[in-house]
Amino acid sequence: MKYVLKPRPVPEVIYKNLDEEQKNAVVNSRGRSIVIAGPGSGKTRVITYKIVHLISQGVPPSEIMLVTFTRAAAKEMIDRVRSVTGRDLSKMTAGTFHSVSNAILRKYAKLLGYESNYTILDRDDAKTLMGHARSTVLEKLPLDVRKAVPRPDPLLSIHSYSMNTLCSIEEAVRKKNPKFFSVLDIIKDIFQVYAEEKIRQNVMDYDDLLVNLLRLLEENPDIEKRLSSRYRWILVDEFQDTNIVQYEIIERLSQVHGNVFVVGDDAQNIYSFRGARFENVEDFINKGNTLVFKIQTNYRSTDKIVDLINHMIPKRAVEKKLKAVRRGTKKPVLVETFDENEQTMFVVQKIEELISEGISPNDIAVLYRSHNLSMRLQLELATRRIPHRILSGLRFTETAHVKDVLAFLKIIQNPLDMISWMRAAKLFSGVGEATASKIAKKVASAIEEGKDYLESLKGFSGRASDGISKLGEVLRALREEEKPSEMIDTVLEEFYREHLEYTYENARERIDDLRILSDIALKYESLEKFLSDITTAEDVGPISKDDSGDKITLSTIHQAKGLEWKIVFVISVNHGDFPNYLALKEGNIDEEERLFYVAITRAKDELYIVYQVLGSKNPYIGNSISWSRGKSFIERIPEDLVEVWEVE
């Protein structure tokens, strides 16, 4: 005979502050439970009150682990729980995956070959150490072989992807940049030195915090049992963004009590490029007796927007149907423009109208698939003095790659521009600060003497000579061109594309930026006018890094996740721009659907989806994509759910 204890009463605060779906997920979840939370449905509230409920049922805070993706999210939830319960939560384990892993590893570091006082490398520190490992390996190799090895940034990207997906170095190279397969063995040697140096210096990088915790649990069953016995409940926020390492850690830490409560929206998994694994949601649901709860009441968007959202739920997603609380009168607007220029004019004019109607700039956002799609819009907003903040990256003329290319054009325009000479020269092999300074001085002297400044680049010897010779070749080629657009293309094709590929992990995106810069330059016949406009457009705009004051927000969809605005423009919804050409080439349309879903769910009151009849003008040069001008996402939108505008 068993004697069953009655559950303690549910606190009245849960009934008062949660809707029926939320309350069901909080009160009735047990064992393995997943909450599929639609956008704007209050997932943070659900996690917060689940903790409140656990404490009310007698679970000590010290036996609860809360894992989030940001410190701010963890702090917000803990502060809410503390205010509701009045309990001391200092013994509760709460934080990001990395901070929680770090806290555990400090106690067991010796088992992994580290001392407990190890230090943690940030991205720049890791890049420096990877550079040291690279130099150590390359110093034993011939010069021609060295040139084929990527620089620390792409090396670190390959290494990080391998760690976060638990895949081999071969697989990581194939995924991140197959071009480096020819030096695969050298890359493996560099990673081996990198790993040895971390042990020798008693340091871990961010990826080590996760991988080393998983390794600790796998190699030490007694410690795994001790830790999983301690945590009676494990709660995970944004579960759809976990990678395989994080998933395995959660599975191992919850094996004794079996109580793991995860919350997320599988339709918002958009971070596969950094190892996030969409399949984690499917695997979690399909394992054991997992309880599935859905919270589908949308408190963010109007019913008209929610109708469209429901129709655009990604095909590969847990079935759901959002219910709107807010009523609205305006349907989402599908806006047809002829080309990117007309799209820009529409967006800027409509923003000016909205502001004149009393809408705060802070309530308006323009979202896009890739940062380079915002370049023309940035220039137009700056020219018209419309204040804006950029969440997706630097203003494009502030980025290193755009400034590098413009330096070559500035030299052609004004050979006495010593700053541009210094910047351009240092891009070439063997040219450091001192040599670049010598080049600049020789050029100035040659011009003063009335000589051809390119002749001054001759006569250099030593390891910089080949690089300086190549600099001269590029500049000679540029002097043969007349139009700014052709000059940009020449710099890219003569030299800079290869430099990007071996220097940056996001070389493709940077090349795209320069293609768009070239496209912007097409309307200019004069180099002087082009450089003047590019410079002054940035000057008249709100260049201050201060984000105070009312400003329009420009953001990639990745950066916009978790945010919301009254009015949202989603631009360049063109086949090849959004969905992205690489996704089309690789057949990875699932994540593009999830990105579009995230974009349209950011809007509260008004939504404008803008596309161009002309389609994308900049498919990636040289790939094997079979190009088409299909409307893709646009053709999936039923006309009865939107207003259709045609810009004239």
Side-chain angles (χ1 to χ4, degrees):
M1 177 179 174
K2 292 183 178 180
Y3 184 85
V4 181
L5 293 174
K6 294 180 180 179
R8 300 187 187 187
V10 177
E12 186 64 26
V13 69
I14 289 179
Y15 288 103
K16 285 183 177 179
N17 289 284
L18 302 181
D19 64 28
E20 286 303 313
E21 290 176 328
Q22 294 168 340
K23 184 176 69 177
N24 181 41
V26 165
V27 175
N28 295 321
S29 53
R30 62 189 182 278
R32 291 173 63 86
S33 298
I34 184 168
V35 180
I36 302 297
S41 61
K43 69 175 180 60
T44 300
R45 180 179 293 263
V46 166
I47 298 178
T48 300
Y49 280 93
K50 181 62 186 178
I51 299 172
V52 171
H53 182 252
L54 290 174
I55 292 173
S56 76
Q57 298 302 301
V59 179
S62 61
E63 296 181 7
I64 299 172
M65 175 187 287
L66 169 65
V67 188
T68 65
F69 274 82
T70 66
R71 293 181 187 177
K75 184 178 185 303
E76 178 187 358
M77 292 179 202
I78 294 303
D79 287 346
R80 286 190 191 181
V81 174
R82 188 181 291 112
S83 67
V84 170
T85 64
R87 293 284 298 271
D88 176 13
L89 303 179
S90 60
K91 293 185 178 179
M92 180 174 159
T93 300
T96 64
F97 272 97
H98 292 87
S99 65
V100 169
S101 296
N102 179 51
I104 295 172
L105 287 173
R106 290 290 174 188
K107 299 176 183 177
Y108 303 105
K110 285 184 180 295
L111 294 174
L112 299 170
Y114 288 88
E115 297 299 321
S116 60
N117 66 339
Y118 64 82
T119 50
I120 301 170
L121 302 173
D122 62 18
R123 173 78 187 192
D124 283 343
D125 292 337
K127 185 176 171 181
T128 299
L129 187 56
M130 184 66 79
H132 168 71
R134 179 180 181 273
S135 298
T136 300
V137 172
L138 295 195
E139 66 184 9
K140 305 167 188 173
L141 300 174
L143 184 60
D144 60 328
V145 176
R146 296 183 204 176
K147 290 180 178 179
V149 178
R151 296 188 66 78
D153 206 34
L155 282 173
L156 202 58
S157 177
I158 293 167
H159 184 271
S160 181
Y161 187 84
S162 173
M163 296 274 278
N164 283 296
T165 60
L166 299 181
C167 74
S168 66
I169 304 302
E170 289 93 335
E171 291 175 274
V173 171
R174 184 179 293 110
K175 177 70 176 179
K176 301 303 287 184
N177 201 327
K179 181 174 183 174
F180 300 137
F181 251 107
S182 62
V183 290
L184 180 61
D185 289 340
I186 297 173
I187 290 174
K188 289 180 179 179
D189 290 343
I190 293 170
F191 289 173
Q192 180 63 34
V193 173
Y194 180 65
E196 291 168 354
E197 280 297 311
K198 285 187 291 184
I199 293 287
R200 191 180 70 79
Q201 298 182 31
N202 197 35
V203 297
M204 294 188 197
D205 62 27
Y206 267 45
D207 299 327
D208 288 323
L209 295 175
L210 299 179
V211 173
N212 282 342
L213 175 56
L214 180 57
R215 187 181 137 211
L216 174 75
L217 298 175
E218 288 175 340
E219 295 176 358
N220 300 274
D222 55 328
I223 294 174
E224 180 182 66
K225 187 173 181 179
R226 187 185 313 159
L227 288 170
S228 59
S229 298
R230 172 186 170 182
Y231 295 111
R232 201 191 308 183
W233 275 90
I234 295 178
L235 299 90
V236 185
D237 189 19
E238 302 286 9
F239 184 70
Q240 78 281 347
D241 292 333
T242 53
N243 61 35
I244 188 63
V245 182
Q246 292 159 333
Y247 180 86
E248 289 294 332
I249 288 171
I250 293 303
E251 288 291 318
R252 288 179 175 276
L253 289 179
S254 62
Q255 65 173 297
V256 170
H257 295 290
N259 296 318
V260 55
F261 179 88
V262 306
V263 180
D265 183 358
D266 59 318
Q268 295 190 59
N269 173 283
I270 59 174
Y271 296 115
S272 66
F273 64 91
R274 66 186 187 198
R277 190 170 176 267
F278 173 85
E279 292 81 6
N280 283 358
V281 172
E282 294 177 341
D283 290 352
F284 189 91
I285 291 174
N286 293 331
K287 183 177 179 180
N289 300 314
T290 301
L291 298 177
V292 180
F293 299 86
K294 297 178 183 179
I295 53 175
Q296 303 174 97
T297 303
N298 182 288
Y299 294 93
R300 176 185 298 152
S301 306
T302 66
D303 56 339
K304 300 291 190 294
I305 295 175
V306 168
D307 287 343
L308 177 63
I309 291 170
N310 278 327
H311 190 83
M312 299 304 293
I313 289 174
K315 297 183 184 73
R316 189 180 175 188
V318 175
E319 185 178 344
K320 62 178 72 68
K321 185 172 183 180
L322 303 180
K323 301 182 292 287
V325 172
R326 301 177 59 232
R327 297 287 172 251
T329 58
K330 296 182 177 180
K331 289 183 177 181
V333 181
L334 184 60
V335 185
E336 178 186 288
T337 61
F338 180 70
D339 58 13
E340 188 181 5
N341 186 57
E342 191 169 88
Q343 172 181 262
T344 300
M345 294 304 106
F346 162 74
V347 172
V348 173
Q349 180 175 310
K350 187 60 185 174
I351 286 173
E352 288 178 327
E353 290 172 2
L354 290 166
I355 293 173
S356 70
E357 292 167 6
I359 300 294
S360 168
N362 287 335
D363 291 327
I364 303 172
V366 183
L367 308 183
Y368 31 84
R369 172 62 176 85
S370 305
H371 181 59
N372 55 49
L373 297 173
S374 71
M375 290 183 172
R376 196 183 296 272
L377 181 61
Q378 287 183 46
L379 287 175
E380 191 62 29
L381 289 171
T383 300
R384 297 203 195 187
R385 298 178 182 269
I386 298 175
H388 56 284
R389 63 172 61 84
I390 300 172
L391 300 186
S392 53
L394 295 169
R395 284 175 167 79
F396 78 97
T397 53
E398 295 176 342
T399 56
H401 50 292
V402 171
K403 292 178 75 171
D404 286 347
V405 171
L406 291 179
F408 286 91
L409 274 62
K410 289 177 180 179
I411 289 171
I412 299 300
Q413 172 65 27
N414 171 26
L416 285 172
D417 183 341
M418 295 299 105
I419 292 175
S420 293
W421 272 105
M422 293 282 288
R423 185 177 192 101
K426 287 189 291 183
L427 295 172
F428 292 86
S429 176
V431 181
E433 193 78 30
T435 304
S437 180
K438 289 179 184 177
I439 291 171
K441 289 176 181 176
K442 284 192 71 175
V443 165
S445 297
I447 293 172
E448 196 174 303
E449 296 169 9
K451 299 177 181 177
D452 181 354
Y453 62 86
L454 290 185
E455 292 299 311
S456 66
L457 299 182
K458 297 178 179 179
F460 281 90
S461 58
R463 67 189 189 95
S465 59
D466 287 347
I468 296 171
S469 177
K470 183 62 178 176
L471 169 62
E473 288 178 23
V474 174
L475 291 171
R476 282 189 181 85
L478 285 182
R479 291 206 300 198
E480 298 297 316
E481 306 290 355
E482 295 182 358
K483 296 181 179 179
S485 178
E486 293 170 350
M487 292 181 181
I488 294 168
D489 294 342
T490 296
V491 175
L492 187 58
E493 299 308 323
E494 287 281 329
F495 143 76
Y496 198 62
R497 174 196 288 273
E498 187 174 36
H499 171 80
L500 290 174
E501 289 174 341
Y502 283 93
T503 305
Y504 297 105
E505 63 167 308
N506 60 343
R508 283 174 173 170
E509 289 86 347
R510 292 174 187 255
I511 291 168
D512 283 349
D513 286 355
L514 297 172
R515 292 290 181 199
I516 291 177
L517 181 66
S518 173
D519 187 45
I520 290 172
L522 276 172
K523 65 179 182 179
Y524 293 90
E525 295 292 326
S526 162
L527 176 59
E528 180 181 3
K529 183 73 165 68
F530 170 68
L531 290 174
S532 296
D533 280 5
I534 284 289
T535 306
T536 56
E538 291 296 298
D539 288 341
V540 299
I543 305 305
S544 170
K545 299 298 182 187
D546 178 18
D547 261 350
S548 60
D550 292 345
K551 296 178 181 179
I552 306 295
T553 298
L554 306 183
S555 178
T556 60
I557 299 160
H558 285 100
Q559 291 291 108
K561 187 167 177 285
L563 304 177
E564 60 183 37
W565 295 269
K566 287 184 179 179
I567 297 163
V568 170
F569 295 81
V570 185
I571 64 171
S572 294
V573 187
N574 313 309
H575 202 63
D577 291 330
F578 190 17
N580 177 264
Y581 56 80
L582 285 175
L584 292 170
K585 178 185 176 184
E586 297 167 0
N588 187 22
I589 197 66
D590 288 348
E591 185 151 338
E592 297 298 299
E593 289 181 351
R594 297 194 289 271
L595 273 167
F596 189 73
Y597 178 78
V598 168
I600 63 178
T601 57
R602 302 306 96 199
K604 297 166 71 175
D605 298 338
E606 296 180 36
L607 172 64
Y608 299 87
I609 300 168
V610 192
Y611 71 97
Q612 301 152 28
V613 173
L614 202 59
S616 172
K617 295 178 66 177
N618 256 327
Y620 188 70
I621 303 301
N623 68 22
S624 59
I625 189 170
S626 175
W627 197 253
S628 69
R629 297 192 183 278
K631 295 181 181 178
S632 204
F633 294 139
I634 300 302
E635 62 193 12
R636 283 186 53 194
I637 299 174
E639 288 197 9
D640 63 316
L641 296 184
V642 295
E643 283 188 40
V644 179
W645 292 4
E646 184 178 335
V647 174
E648 297 179 348

